[in-house]
Amino acid sequence: MKELLKDKVAIITGSGRGIGKGIATFFVEQGAKVVINDIDPAPCNETAEELRAMGGDVLASPCDVTNKEQVEKMVADTIAKFGKIDILVNNAGTSRDALIHKMDDKLLRFIIDVNLKGTHVCTQAVMPEFIKEERKDEFKKIINFASTTGVSGNIGQANYAIAKGGIIGYTKAVAREFARYRVCVNAVAPGFIETRMTQEKKPGMKLGLPPAIRSIAINAIPFSRNKIGGRPIDIARIVAFYSSDLSNWVTGQLILGDGGAFI
Ligand code: NAP
């Protein structure tokens, strides 16, 4: 299996590192042309270079997914380079945890904006391309990033639960709205995946988890081995399924990629 996504053009947001980078790498291996996006230009450009060294046809487009003008430019640059867009992976996201009594408006708003508004801004920006009359018989794909927290909730993550739970509803709404254009809109809910978000948190770090919480989360994964959580490739394979023709009859759905933690 090396050509699952041959000549498909995919924008993958937040793909400078973490799960998004894992998706971009797997997509290049499967023959896709990819747009690497990240709010931080350094990892964005570095990942694009790494993928070019693998032989990938890659565009680096650093921008903030919550900024409409910047996202519209990314979409225009993608069409200018590749001539079309087949797949949008709304992976960019982040978390900032706090218990309810410490969760101020700024913390609430920031997490809703990056995860939920960012997904909406990118979806709106690709829609003119996806509803073109001449592409009406082709299946186009949008993959949104929820989380098991959006399904089950989690202590200290009310802001993240609002955003990720909202993405599940948003996915179903957009799937219904754009079904007539053959746009498949689906969501993935990762469980615990080893990235910066879940790394062991040391003093002064914004992202990460205390060692005790990491242990509890990893021990709850029946498939985990050697005390590590899931890997970006475990999620990349689900996203590749949603992005490929294998899932053309699937829309409005959610797959949990959690190694059996939330059955
Ligand atoms: P990550 O390693 O932090 O990667 C996320 C990337 O998105 C970062 O490079 C980040 O850039 C970028 N980003 C953040 N805000 C952005 C914005 N406004 N515009 C463009 N890019 C932006 O996190 P990850 O673990 O790979 O997470 C990927 C997705 O999976 C997220 O939606 C996350 O919520 C979801 N998820 C992850 C887990 C997990 O266990 N890791 C579990 C459930 C769901 P900066 O670093 O510069 O901010």
Side-chain angles (χ1 to χ4, degrees):
M1 187 179 76
K2 279 288 173 206
E3 298 200 335
L4 190 64
L5 301 171
K6 190 167 168 36
D7 294 331
K8 301 280 187 195
V9 175
I11 295 177
I12 306 162
T13 67
S15 51
R17 55 185 138 223
I19 296 171
K21 181 176 180 179
I23 296 166
T25 307
F26 191 56
F27 273 33
V28 165
E29 287 168 4
Q30 295 300 327
K33 300 170 185 191
V34 300
V35 178
I36 304 299
N37 156 266
D38 207 285
I39 194 166
D40 186 346
C44 187
N45 291 323
E46 279 160 26
T47 295
E49 272 312 310
E50 278 179 41
L51 297 184
R52 284 187 196 112
M54 280 171 57
D57 197 354
V58 178
L59 173 70
S61 184
C63 79
D64 178 353
V65 293
T66 68
N67 185 306
K68 193 171 171 347
E69 289 72 34
Q70 291 179 15
V71 169
E72 284 174 352
K73 181 173 183 312
M74 173 171 70
V75 167
D77 290 347
T78 304
I79 293 169
K81 179 167 171 67
F82 295 122
K84 62 169 186 168
I85 302 166
D86 301 297
I87 302 157
L88 168 67
V89 182
N90 280 314
N91 163 81
T94 195
S95 59
R96 296 286 185 282
D97 301 349
L99 294 172
I100 293 283
H101 66 285
K102 290 186 180 163
M103 190 170 288
D104 59 23
D105 284 358
K106 205 172 146 202
L107 208 54
L108 187 71
R109 192 72 256 168
F110 175 65
I111 292 304
I112 294 172
D113 277 356
V114 175
N115 292 280
L116 192 48
K117 181 184 164 189
T119 295
H120 178 59
V121 168
C122 294
T123 300
Q124 274 190 325
V126 299
M127 271 309 163
E129 173 67 13
F130 280 11
I131 67 173
K132 276 183 179 162
E133 176 62 19
E134 64 267 27
R135 299 196 70 190
K136 69 178 182 350
D137 293 330
E138 294 172 42
F139 285 95
K140 284 78 62 181
K141 310 281 183 159
I142 298 177
I143 298 89
N144 294 331
F145 265 70
S147 162
T148 48
T149 294
V151 178
S152 302
N154 199 14
I155 294 169
Q157 291 201 306
N159 52 357
Y160 192 65
I162 292 169
K164 295 304 196 183
I167 283 172
I168 298 169
Y170 181 78
T171 299
K172 291 173 191 284
V174 181
R176 285 178 182 273
E177 208 167 312
F178 291 101
R180 67 197 173 107
Y181 301 107
R182 294 200 172 206
V183 183
C184 302
V185 188
N186 292 294
V188 58
F192 184 102
I193 306 296
E194 297 284 359
T195 67
R196 250 175 10 142
M197 268 179 75
T198 51
Q199 70 193 331
E200 194 173 312
K201 193 171 187 176
K202 308 225 161 70
M205 286 164 64
K206 272 193 291 190
L207 290 168
L209 297 171
I213 304 287
R214 268 183 58 85
S215 287
I216 292 167
I218 293 170
N219 288 335
I221 306 171
F223 287 179
S224 79
R225 288 199 188 93
N226 305 324
K227 304 260 175 248
I228 59 161
R231 301 154 302 160
I233 185 66
D234 296 318
I235 302 305
R237 291 192 183 115
I238 299 168
V239 176
F241 164 70
Y242 274 149
S243 300
S244 78
D245 291 337
L246 295 176
S247 61
N248 282 354
W249 221 240
V250 178
T251 195
Q253 301 305 307
L254 174 72
I255 295 178
L256 270 64
D258 64 351
F262 287 83
I263 296 169

